[in-house]
Amino acid sequence: MDYRIRSLEEYQTAYQKSVEQPEEFWAGIAENFTWRQKWDKVLNWNFEEPRVEWFVNGKLNITENCLDRHLEKRGNKLALIWEPNDPKERFIRYTYRELHEKVCQMANILKSNGVQKGDRVCIYMPMIPELAFSVLACARIGAVHSVIFAGFSHTAMADRINDAQAKVVLTSDGLNRGPKQIPVKRVVDEALETCPSVEKVIVVDRVGWAVNMVEGRDVWYHEELEQVDKHCPAEEMDAEDLLFILYTSGSTGKPKGVVHTCGGYMVYTDYTFRNVFQYEESDIYWCTADVGWITGHSYLLYGPLLSGATTLMFEGVPTFPDPGRFWQVIDKFGVNIFYTAPTAIRSLMASGLDHVLSYSLDSLKVLGSVGEPINEEAWHWYHIHVGKERCPVVDTWWQTETGGIMLSSLANITPTKPSHAGFALPGVQPILIDQEGKEITENEQEGYLCMKFPWPGMIRTTYGDHERCRQSYFSTYPNLYFTGDGAKRDKNGLWRIIGRVDDVINVSGHRFGTAEIENAINQNKHIVESAVVGYPHDVKGQGIYAFVVCGEEAPTNQENLRAEVIETVVDQIGKIAKPDKIQIVSGLPKTRSGKIMRRILRKVAEGDTSNLGDTSTLLDPPIVDEIVKGAL
Ligand code: WTA
């Protein structure tokens, strides 16, 4: 069955069916996949525990659906195009047959290094083809992958490895990032000093560096490759067996391991990929996200491969060797569908039009945006200069927890509007809630965005701590999944996302909890206390503003102290969490009960101190004047 929606009427019919008969609707989609055994029941759910099970007792392997089932018709079709960091280095292409073989070999390497079904495997790798092989190899043998973005520090990696009790780590000697090379294996070695669960490390030779190889623990991928078979049967998985864990930040200090399972995630990423981008068989598709984030999982790997698409993976950065790189790559491979983040668009806008105008970009048909609200200026620039006003821009709203796109236009099918995600996808039942917890039914009103019915790609639990999952998403409003975002509908019912309403900030499309950054800063021996807030940033969307209180022994030179704080954050989390501004203060504004008044700090960070509201309940009101005067 062809389940691509082709008109507004078809969208309306599909949406209505998905609400009135959700089980029949999703079963109809799921029929299109290869199952070793069909499900007994489409859905079991309650949002109290929460418990959500899709395709109950269905048996499958997602890689049979990503790879094996395409071999007959698409064996010689390109599955993966890999473009290296340095444009002078040759790109590599893999057909579906070749990718299948690579994945089987990697799966056999994992097996011969002791990995079994259910084991957790940590993948800390740059954007190289072996990263794709690794992810799929885990799925093939039923191991649970936990990809950690290769920009995280050794401390952040160790936390995640220990939380998941990973048995094996897949990594590389180093990585290329624009003009720089970064020693990846060294970071892994440092992390593993505190990770007793890890038995083996498999190292891919990417930059050709001599690295420390621990006898009995570390092995080279290329050496292992010579010893393994090209065939690897896919493990039979239950629809609700774990497929992967992906750590993401919430409003508390410790990142949580979001768990996705095999069956529902498969059906949902494929369905949303085809429909949102209106993917056609011959399209070349490029998603610029790193596989270290959910977008890379769902829309660089799984979604496109499930759909039999050609997906492009790029090792480098948008500004190397110059800010025309994205556009050069689009022309080089004739990319038809391009999916990127607002922060990338804004940074390229800032480097001038010439870089875009020197490329034809004729192949483009659809543009996508993801990760943070796209401001109107960036939307128009993208639409006019990249899409030449010919390509619809799909602004896709979703989360690590949702597994796939939830609110978005379908390219050329449903309406688009700058800064609006559009309608809900079939199967998605959003609801807006007010301060009192009541439903907002009128349009043009802001509220808290929740979901009232499960969808196949949704989070099942937070790894090792189900109560945390309940607390974070299902306890704020009874029987609803709470997204943490504020939103509103326009008069036509198009959704607009306002942004996070919790203590999560979104910096260049990367999620951080303010408490997580505070915990990191507080590790510095000179810091007594800190408070972190987000503020509007032209390129990053939000910047990180830290207020810090230091001890008596702290360096008197403020620049030195700031540099030290930054170093601590880089060490604890990674460069991506570096504060943009650090204000040294003698105290923080607190209520009499000791709670930091973040509202005031946010205003200071935003540069809007004309109306700070009522400060009379503060423990120490004069501190506010000091903070306002010292604002950066
Ligand atoms: C934000 C990324 C506005 C939102 C896929 C959400 C967006 C968080 C959009 C999830 C969008 C994502 N418009 N805001 N199109 N897409 N967000 O888990 O605040 O890294 O809650 O998933 O990013 O970030 P995450």
Side-chain angles (χ1 to χ4, degrees):
M1 184 188 87
D2 180 8
Y3 47 101
R4 208 181 94 202
I5 291 164
R6 286 164 198 276
S7 65
L8 188 58
E9 295 69 43
E10 280 186 23
Y11 162 75
Q12 284 155 345
T13 314
Y15 190 82
Q16 197 173 353
K17 175 159 186 194
S18 78
V19 172
E20 289 167 3
Q21 299 175 293
E23 300 196 22
E24 287 79 354
F25 174 80
W26 285 113
I29 311 289
E31 297 283 349
N32 295 284
F33 295 79
T34 301
W35 297 84
R36 296 261 185 103
Q37 180 187 305
K38 277 278 162 66
W39 52 91
D40 301 332
K41 191 161 184 284
V42 179
L43 172 65
N44 277 329
W45 73 289
N46 73 66
F47 278 176
E48 284 115 66
E49 294 178 50
R51 184 161 72 111
V52 175
E53 296 163 351
W54 282 93
F55 312 112
V56 181
N57 288 328
K59 307 285 180 213
L60 76 154
N61 184 289
I62 196 169
T63 70
E64 274 183 349
N65 285 278
C66 286
L67 302 168
D68 304 58
R69 72 168 167 153
H70 298 313
L71 293 182
E72 200 182 317
K73 253 181 64 194
R74 305 191 179 93
N76 296 323
K77 178 177 173 174
L78 288 182
L80 182 69
I81 302 176
W82 177 72
E83 168 72 4
N85 177 62
D86 183 346
K88 291 201 260 345
E89 192 183 338
R90 178 110 184 117
F91 60 89
I92 308 179
R93 295 183 292 191
Y94 301 87
T95 62
Y96 269 91
R97 187 159 291 114
E98 289 162 340
L99 182 60
H100 178 265
E101 189 177 302
K102 293 287 182 192
V103 170
C104 286
Q105 286 173 321
M106 185 65 95
N108 285 327
I109 292 176
L110 288 174
K111 278 192 189 170
S112 65
N113 281 282
V115 180
Q116 294 174 352
K117 181 174 177 175
D119 286 342
R120 277 78 55 216
V121 172
C122 158
I123 304 173
Y124 185 80
M125 248 192 232
M127 288 280 280
I128 53 178
E130 290 77 7
L131 169 57
F133 309 159
S134 303
V135 167
L136 297 166
C138 288
R140 188 138 189 108
I141 62 170
V144 179
H145 56 77
S146 164
V147 183
I148 301 176
F149 173 64
F152 277 118
S153 72
H154 64 97
T155 320
M157 189 189 340
D159 287 347
R160 288 159 174 76
I161 289 177
N162 287 329
D163 187 77
Q165 289 290 295
K167 190 171 180 183
V168 165
V169 176
L170 288 147
T171 188
S172 66
D173 51 355
L175 70 78
N176 299 303
R177 197 177 158 74
K180 285 186 279 192
Q181 290 198 319
I182 294 159
V184 178
K185 175 66 166 53
R186 211 193 290 159
V187 185
V188 173
D189 286 340
E190 271 183 81
L192 294 192
E193 284 175 18
T194 55
C195 298
S197 63
V198 175
E199 293 167 13
K200 289 279 177 155
V201 180
I202 299 161
V203 189
V204 176
D205 172 11
R206 169 63 186 119
V207 294
W209 281 347
V211 294
N212 165 47
M213 295 292 277
V214 176
E215 180 85 43
R217 187 193 75 181
D218 303 354
V219 295
W220 285 107
Y221 166 69
H222 59 269
E223 288 176 6
E224 297 289 294
L225 202 52
E226 285 169 11
Q227 298 168 29
V228 293
D229 201 74
K230 292 182 174 133
H231 302 278
C232 175
E235 190 74 36
E236 183 170 295
M237 304 296 285
D238 188 90
E240 285 300 332
D241 277 341
L242 268 62
L243 174 62
F244 66 86
I245 307 171
L246 186 59
Y247 287 85
T248 191
S249 301
S251 35
T252 51
K254 200 171 147 245
K256 48 197 165 201
V258 171
V259 169
H260 286 288
T261 57
C262 298
Y265 179 82
M266 167 177 83
V267 171
Y268 198 69
T269 51
D270 173 288
Y271 180 75
T272 50
F273 171 75
R274 287 174 197 247
N275 280 296
V276 169
F277 299 107
Q278 290 290 302
Y279 162 72
E280 301 201 44
E281 185 67 46
S282 59
D283 286 343
I284 307 280
Y285 165 84
W286 181 17
C287 164
T288 68
D290 194 291
V291 174
W293 311 113
I294 191 67
T295 308
H297 281 60
S298 303
Y299 298 110
L300 194 156
L301 292 179
Y302 286 113
L305 294 175
L306 286 162
S307 306
T310 302
T311 182
L312 196 153
M313 179 182 206
F314 173 44
E315 184 187 27
V317 294
T319 48
F320 178 79
D322 63 58
R325 187 69 189 277
F326 273 0
W327 324 126
Q328 180 246 333
V329 173
I330 289 173
D331 276 3
K332 177 171 173 183
F333 295 105
V335 170
N336 307 109
I337 305 173
F338 179 65
Y339 190 29
T340 196
T343 185
I345 298 167
R346 288 190 298 260
S347 86
L348 296 175
M349 266 168 81
S351 44
L353 261 186
D354 291 353
H355 292 290
V356 195
L357 298 181
S358 22
Y359 297 96
S360 94
L361 305 179
D362 278 350
S363 57
L364 287 174
K365 297 195 301 190
V366 175
L367 300 176
S369 171
V370 60
E372 47 176 321
I374 178 165
N375 49 310
E376 295 211 12
E377 199 190 349
W379 195 99
H380 286 297
W381 190 88
Y382 196 30
H383 186 236
I384 296 169
H385 300 298
V386 180
K388 317 289 179 200
E389 297 183 71
R390 176 186 78 232
C391 309
V393 174
V394 293
D395 179 0
T396 64
W397 174 87
W398 58 296
Q399 311 177 292
T400 305
E401 295 85 344
T402 69
I405 298 168
M406 302 286 280
L407 307 177
S408 171
S409 343
L410 310 184
N412 289 317
I413 305 281
T414 59
T416 58
K417 180 175 169 185
S419 290
H420 287 67
F423 294 142
L425 262 56
V428 174
Q429 299 190 36
I431 172 171
L432 265 191
I433 300 293
D434 70 12
Q435 300 275 2
E436 273 82 57
K438 292 209 190 64
E439 176 169 7
I440 300 173
T441 49
E442 314 88 79
N443 289 342
E444 303 283 6
Q445 279 208 46
E446 230 174 284
Y448 303 125
L449 180 63
C450 296
M451 299 292 155
K452 59 182 176 195
F453 197 84
W455 62 101
M458 75 182 291
I459 180 173
R460 300 300 197 269
T461 187
T462 43
Y463 192 76
D465 190 353
H466 192 63
E467 173 56 17
R468 190 157 180 220
C469 172
R470 194 191 66 79
Q471 276 279 338
S472 312
Y473 310 105
F474 299 92
S475 69
T476 319
Y477 306 108
N479 291 314
L480 296 176
Y481 165 84
F482 176 44
T483 63
D485 279 307
K488 82 189 213 193
R489 281 171 301 230
D490 76 357
K491 59 179 188 314
N492 300 315
L494 297 181
W495 288 94
R496 171 180 198 145
I497 304 297
I498 317 281
R500 301 291 303 198
V501 295
D502 52 8
D503 289 320
V504 169
I505 50 180
N506 194 325
V507 185
S508 300
H510 303 150
R511 260 169 83 168
F512 297 103
T514 52
E516 180 186 2
I517 303 174
E518 288 161 9
N519 288 351
I521 293 176
N522 297 349
Q523 294 295 315
N524 185 294
K525 63 177 186 293
H526 299 305
I527 303 301
V528 176
E529 202 179 13
S530 63
V532 166
V533 296
Y535 71 96
H537 186 288
D538 285 349
V539 173
K540 298 179 177 185
Q542 280 188 296
I544 302 174
Y545 196 123
F547 297 87
V548 302
V549 183
C550 3
E552 282 168 7
E553 313 269 281
T556 41
N557 178 315
Q558 297 212 341
E559 277 324 300
N560 291 350
L561 182 69
R562 286 200 180 96
E564 263 206 41
V565 169
I566 288 178
E567 205 179 300
T568 308
V569 175
V570 170
D571 191 58
Q572 293 291 316
I573 307 178
K575 282 206 178 92
I576 47 176
K578 260 194 335 207
D580 298 277
K581 295 182 179 179
I582 301 174
Q583 183 178 348
I584 298 156
V585 295
S586 65
L588 296 170
K590 290 189 182 165
T591 61
R592 284 175 215 281
S593 58
K595 212 167 155 324
I596 297 173
M597 289 188 83
R598 289 175 181 275
R599 174 178 58 81
I600 294 179
L601 297 178
R602 262 184 232 119
K603 288 239 167 187
V604 173
E606 283 164 15
D608 170 22
T609 49
S610 55
N611 177 17
L612 290 177
D614 182 12
T615 55
S616 63
T617 57
L618 288 178
L619 195 59
D620 178 19
I623 199 71
V624 175
D625 296 330
E626 180 207 305
I627 293 177
V628 169
K629 283 207 195 86
L632 300 169

